[in-house]
Amino acid sequence: MEITVIEFHLDAKSGVSPYLQLVQQVRRALRLGLLHEGDRLPTVKEVVAQLAINPNTVLKAYRELEHEGLASARPGVGTFVTKTLTDTSLAAHGPLRLELQRWLSKARRAGLDDESIEALFMTTFRSTAQEDIA
């Protein structure tokens, strides 16, 4: 039997719809190599029980993943990952993660809370991305 390897969470403050948060979490897990081809996603019933959301929300997310070619439903069995998004840069993740963890520790020691850290990161990320485009 396949093992479910992702546990979803929702952020009501994010401004992102719940179904899209689920899709983004699967994509992120695929990019980071946490989900692999053949892995089973949690059943709709499991996600509904865990997050207390409408089953149609989960179904919509899973349909979107199927539309993108990332997952496939097998009636009576579950929904399974059909494609990965990892690339050759995966090897760089370890050192970058360590550097980011050090930065997060510095930010916390400087008195920033999680919301401030996220705001600082996202504004810097966006401005750097725009500079790269220009």
Side-chain angles (χ1 to χ4, degrees):
M1 182 94 188
E2 292 84 0
I3 298 170
T4 302
V5 292
I6 187 170
E7 189 171 305
F8 294 116
H9 59 276
L10 294 177
D11 180 0
K13 297 182 219 166
S14 73
V16 177
S17 66
Y19 99 90
L20 199 50
Q21 287 184 51
L22 300 179
V23 171
Q24 289 172 343
Q25 288 171 46
V26 170
R27 283 191 203 127
R28 207 171 294 130
L30 289 168
R31 270 196 184 79
L32 294 173
L34 303 173
L35 278 175
H36 305 282
E37 201 170 314
D39 287 342
R40 182 178 70 82
L41 296 177
T43 65
V44 171
K45 188 175 181 180
E46 290 168 342
V47 179
V48 167
Q50 178 195 352
L51 301 177
I53 61 173
N54 188 308
N56 289 329
T57 302
V58 184
L59 288 168
K60 184 175 181 181
Y62 283 9
R63 278 194 305 271
E64 176 70 21
L65 291 166
E66 285 185 67
H67 178 73
E68 293 177 14
L70 300 175
S72 177
R74 297 185 203 155
V77 183
T79 302
F80 294 83
V81 173
T82 55
K83 181 179 167 186
T84 184
L85 294 174
T86 57
D87 57 26
T88 55
S89 70
L90 190 59
H93 288 203
L96 290 172
R97 182 182 306 239
L98 186 59
E99 196 174 328
L100 185 55
Q101 287 170 335
R102 288 187 191 122
W103 182 86
L104 289 168
S105 293
K106 285 183 190 176
R108 286 195 176 94
R109 283 195 303 274
L112 276 70
D113 62 10
D114 287 350
E115 198 171 314
S116 298
I117 290 170
E118 186 177 352
L120 177 60
F121 177 83
M122 289 310 296
T123 55
T124 305
F125 177 79
R126 286 187 186 111
S127 66
T128 303
Q130 288 172 349
E131 288 170 14
D132 291 345
I133 291 170

